Amino acid sequence: MTSSTPSRPTQHEAPPAADAAPAAPLRRSRTSRVVGGVCGGLGRHFDLDPVIFRIVLGVLAVTGGIGLVFYGFAWLVIPLAGEEESEGRRLLTGRVSGASLAAILMALVGCGIFLSMLRTGSLLGFAVLLSLATAGAAHWSQRRRPPSEGEAEADPEAKPKAPHGRVPVPPEAKAPPLSFLEREMSSWWRDPIVKDGSTGKVAIGYMWGPHGIVDAEGKVGGEVPRPGSQWGPPRNAERPEPSVRRSPYSIAGLINLLALAAAVTGTALTWESQPLGISLATGLAAALGVFGLGLVVSSFLGRTGFGTIFQAVVTAALLAGALALPTKITTDWTRQTWTPSTVAAVQPRYDLGAGVGTLDLSRLSVPEGTTVSTTVDVGAGKLEVVVPEDVVVRLHAQVGLGDVQLPGQAPDDIDIAPDRDETRTLNPPAGTDPAGTLDLSLEVGLGQVEVTRAAS
């Protein structure tokens, strides 16, 4: 006969290690802020010192404007701590504030710096590498795991974990709260009990019927209540006037008109004395200044909508495009023809700002064994070159955006493409005694290069 001994109760197993605390939501900081609180919010979200983000964004702002672009858009997109609505959302609904204007101007300035440094490949490469390194560090900091149980036991300074979790104490039982009808509109047959145990004044009230309080003489409002009548003074039957919220008037039309006038005035004042790109940039910069000033004024007086902000962004894009135009493109569209008849009359360089330039070398006689070199540069327009029939042409043609037409191609074969670069050697037709050599360097910023041979 076997006796069963009661098994000892097993000790409670240690609870599993708590998971890592979830990352704080991405919000702009209210306390750790220098400009808009973006770096403080990033530091709190990624568990990094905000100074790291400030230094990185400062370097990126100086080396290519990317830091300003990122900060401006982050200011618009990331809401402030304790709020759910971002500055960008307020901006889209027509609520323009100083913070949203500052963010837009910062992003526009950053875009201008970035576009002006597109040709500096080394700085852009450094900015990309620094951005990737910062993003990797932020990701690593956010994904850092807490110390495991073994690491915590090996650490003598680590605080011991409690074997059991503290059981929360249930709240003290309380009576359910009175409803609105029970609290404010109790029935006339109920005598409310006061602290001394006696009954107080009877509150008589219904949602649909008599209202008032019966006094010691049995009257309500100085009158004896009668069945079927209102107790107490009648309510004011007049309907109050609804409060109308008057929104500020729109000044978008005035801003657009002033921006157009500023653009036309700035362009007209510089049209005769400056290249095309500088003249257009002057007018667009004046219009952009009017848009920015109008947005600032609208935050205090009047209001503007999303259309004004969109027009400001489009104007900034056009300004960047105008600044990218070559300075050799002038505002005068002219027709120029050069017809040298001797080798000595051929100039080493011919220039034309904008228009149609024709270099007619059909009457030029180049002796055998002689090389004649020249360069023709046209900012915008068409460049036509007519070469003698019996010369060998070494051609180097460059077109920023346009087409290159060479002898033997169909006239209607037009292929417009950016960065056209053609290097050819054109021999004279068969049966023609070869003469000397023409070395031509043709450059057109925007337009077409056409090379033809003179007829015999």
Side-chain angles (χ1 to χ4, degrees):
M1 184 173 179
T2 60
S3 61
S4 60
T5 59
S7 60
R8 295 182 180 180
T10 59
Q11 294 182 354
H12 294 281
E13 297 180 356
D19 296 336
L26 184 56
R27 294 289 187 272
R28 290 186 290 114
S29 176
R30 290 180 178 271
T31 56
S32 177
R33 59 187 300 178
V34 177
V35 181
V38 174
C39 294
L42 291 175
R44 183 173 181 269
H45 180 73
F46 292 105
D47 195 16
L48 281 176
D49 194 339
V51 178
I52 298 176
F53 292 99
R54 294 190 181 107
I55 294 175
V56 171
L57 289 180
V59 173
L60 292 178
V62 175
T63 56
I66 301 178
L68 293 177
V69 176
F70 175 82
Y71 199 98
F73 280 103
W75 196 348
L76 289 175
V77 174
I78 302 175
L80 192 62
E83 299 181 1
E84 295 297 331
E85 196 174 23
S86 62
E87 295 292 341
R89 187 172 180 180
R90 294 192 184 99
L91 198 62
L92 294 178
T93 55
R95 292 171 291 172
V96 182
S97 63
S100 59
L101 293 177
I104 291 177
L105 293 179
M106 183 177 294
L108 291 178
V109 171
C111 290
I113 298 176
F114 176 75
L115 292 174
S116 64
M117 292 188 175
L118 279 178
R119 299 180 181 179
T120 310
S122 59
L123 291 180
L124 292 180
F126 170 75
V128 171
L129 292 178
L130 183 59
S131 301
L132 293 177
T134 307
H139 180 76
W140 171 82
S141 176
Q142 190 182 32
R143 297 297 180 183
R144 282 182 300 180
R145 61 181 178 87
S148 61
E149 185 177 357
E151 295 175 355
E153 293 177 356
D155 188 2
E157 297 182 0
K159 295 183 178 180
K161 298 182 178 179
H164 306 284
R166 179 174 295 179
V167 179
V169 179
E172 183 181 355
K174 295 182 181 180
L178 297 177
S179 64
F180 176 77
L181 295 177
E182 295 174 344
R183 185 174 65 253
E184 300 293 338
M185 310 183 72
S186 56
S187 302
W188 59 272
W189 63 82
R190 293 178 59 184
D191 296 341
I193 301 177
V194 294
K195 291 183 178 181
D196 57 358
S198 61
T199 58
K201 296 182 179 180
V202 179
I204 306 173
Y206 295 90
M207 295 179 62
W208 61 88
H211 54 275
I213 298 178
V214 179
D215 55 11
E217 299 178 358
K219 297 182 180 180
V220 177
E223 299 180 0
V224 178
R226 293 175 299 173
S229 64
Q230 280 276 351
W231 295 357
R235 298 179 180 177
N236 187 11
E238 296 182 1
R239 184 177 181 181
E241 296 183 0
S243 59
V244 180
R245 181 171 178 254
R246 300 181 180 274
S247 59
Y249 59 90
S250 175
I251 60 173
L254 179 61
I255 293 176
N256 295 336
L257 182 61
L258 293 178
L260 179 61
V264 172
T265 303
T267 304
L269 292 177
T270 57
W271 187 260
E272 297 293 338
S273 58
Q274 298 294 333
L276 178 63
I278 301 300
S279 179
L280 293 178
T282 303
L284 292 172
L288 187 61
V290 171
F291 279 126
L293 183 61
L295 291 174
V296 173
V297 173
S298 66
S299 61
F300 302 97
L301 303 174
R303 62 180 177 86
T304 55
F306 176 74
T308 304
I309 301 172
F310 178 75
Q311 291 175 2
V313 174
V314 172
T315 304
L318 293 177
L319 176 59
L323 292 175
L325 290 177
T327 56
K328 59 186 178 183
I329 300 179
T330 60
T331 57
D332 296 330
W333 186 271
T334 59
R335 288 182 174 271
Q336 183 71 38
T337 302
W338 304 283
T339 57
S341 56
T342 61
V343 174
V346 177
Q347 299 179 9
R349 185 178 183 87
Y350 298 93
D351 292 304
L352 178 64
V356 179
T358 303
L359 178 60
D360 189 0
L361 303 175
S362 59
R363 295 183 296 174
L364 181 64
S365 178
V366 182
E368 185 178 357
T370 305
T371 301
V372 179
S373 301
T374 186
T375 300
V376 186
D377 191 355
V378 177
K382 183 178 181 180
L383 173 59
E384 300 175 351
V385 180
V386 183
V387 299
E389 185 183 12
D390 56 351
V391 298
V392 178
V393 180
R394 291 192 303 222
L395 177 66
H396 182 209
Q398 290 182 332
V399 180
L401 177 63
D403 179 47
V404 177
Q405 287 281 333
L406 300 178
Q409 297 180 354
D412 56 349
D413 185 13
I414 299 177
D415 184 14
I416 300 176
D419 297 330
R420 296 294 300 270
D421 193 341
E422 298 282 346
T423 301
R424 299 285 185 87
T425 299
L426 308 177
N427 295 318
T432 303
D433 295 333
T437 302
L438 276 177
D439 192 353
L440 300 179
S441 179
L442 310 178
E443 298 180 6
V444 174
L446 180 65
Q448 184 184 33
V449 172
E450 181 179 358
V451 179
T452 58
R453 282 193 179 272
S456 57

